[in-house]
Amino acid sequence: MPTAPELPPLEWDPDTAEELAHDFVDVGPAGTVESWSWVASPTEQHPLDVPFAFALVKLDGADTAFLHAVDAGSIEAMSTGM
């Protein structure tokens, strides 16, 4: 599993410039792959230059998933729920 990145939320509304209120929650250093798609032939626009997965990862303690690039080594190593 990927380690927990820092995910700071926006401090200001991009449309109104009003300060946004946040209810921060602690999330764990691990999570669960909810869905994924394999990129067998990455291009220079992709974040990795080896085959990888784009995955929706829900960190432990979070209520929503975020998109993450996962270097799993092979398509066989990826699975929903990992």
Side-chain angles (χ1 to χ4, degrees), residues 22-49:
H22 297 289
D23 293 327
F24 291 101
V25 297
D26 291 328
V27 294
T32 303
V33 172
E34 294 192 334
S35 180
W36 59 278
S37 179
W38 190 251
V39 179
S41 300
T43 67
E44 62 185 42
Q45 288 82 23
H46 286 106
L48 300 173
D49 60 1

Side-chain angles (χ1 to χ4, degrees), residues 8-22 24:
L10 293 175
E11 295 181 38
W12 308 94
D13 184 300
D15 295 322
T16 66
E18 291 182 44
E19 188 172 1
L20 298 172
H22 297 289
F24 291 101

